[in-house]
Amino acid sequence: MTEIKDGYYFMFEIGWFIDLLIPTLVRVKEDLICLVSSKPCETKGIKPCCMPYGDELEVKKLSIDDPAIKAFKSVSSFIRIDDCNNLNGELKKNLSKKEIRDKYFNSAAKISRETLIDRVQNDYTVLSGMIL
């Protein structure tokens, strides 16, 4: 496995155990994968059906060696974000790659850009303010 350095990444392979929209934003810091939790929502056109974060903006902190992370090979789907000041551009750039779309997007709902960019921006706000 390639060394994962501290920083922000899009994580495309998340599996249903985390139940987030694909992609989600994660922050790697001190060998932990930090991501904002989700909660169910009423919008059934979004699969999985969740909102960007829980009621209390809970941040989940998972070890890179966590069995669930390893089982879903999540780390191998990480794409480093070069410019956190342009998350919309970074998302657009990555979603334009055919190999990413073919591998990770199996429904139109998952690629709803408005839903994705809202989630990414909300998660960045939470993750950038967290203290470990």
Side-chain angles (χ1 to χ4, degrees), residues 9 27 31 35 37 39 50 57 76 82 89-90 105 112 132:
Y9 296 82
R27 180 178 181 187
D31 294 324
L35 58 133
S37 65
K39 66 177 182 176
C50 64
L57 304 177
S76 65
D82 297 319
E90 291 282 326
F105 291 90
S112 168
L132 287 176

Side-chain angles (χ1 to χ4, degrees), residues 2 27-28 31-32 37 41-42 45 52 54 59 63-64 78 83 89-90 92 97 108-109 130:
T2 307
R27 180 178 181 187
V28 175
D31 294 324
L32 291 175
S37 65
C41 75
E42 295 178 11
V59 174
S63 163
I64 290 175
F78 279 16
D83 183 4
E90 291 282 326
K92 185 176 179 180
K97 296 177 183 175
M130 72 172 212

Side-chain angles (χ1 to χ4, degrees), residues 18-82:
I18 294 179
D19 194 34
L20 299 175
L21 294 169
I22 298 174
T24 194
L25 183 81
V26 299
R27 180 178 181 187
V28 175
K29 186 166 172 82
E30 299 172 2
D31 294 324
L32 291 175
I33 299 171
C34 305
L35 58 133
V36 180
S37 65
S38 63
K39 66 177 182 176
C41 75
E42 295 178 11
T43 307
K44 300 303 178 193
I46 299 172
K47 302 292 183 195
C49 302
C50 64
M51 293 299 289
Y53 42 73
D55 292 332
E56 296 182 15
L57 304 177
E58 177 188 351
V59 174
K60 293 182 181 183
K61 297 173 186 173
L62 304 171
S63 163
I64 290 175
D65 292 330
D66 184 284
I69 293 292
K70 284 185 162 186
F72 285 98
K73 300 179 181 173
S74 299
V75 172
S76 65
S77 77
F78 279 16
I79 295 179
R80 189 170 179 82
I81 297 173
D82 297 319

Side-chain angles (χ1 to χ4, degrees), residues 2 8 14 78 101 116:
T2 307
Y8 294 88
I14 56 176
F78 279 16
R101 286 194 320 271
L116 292 176

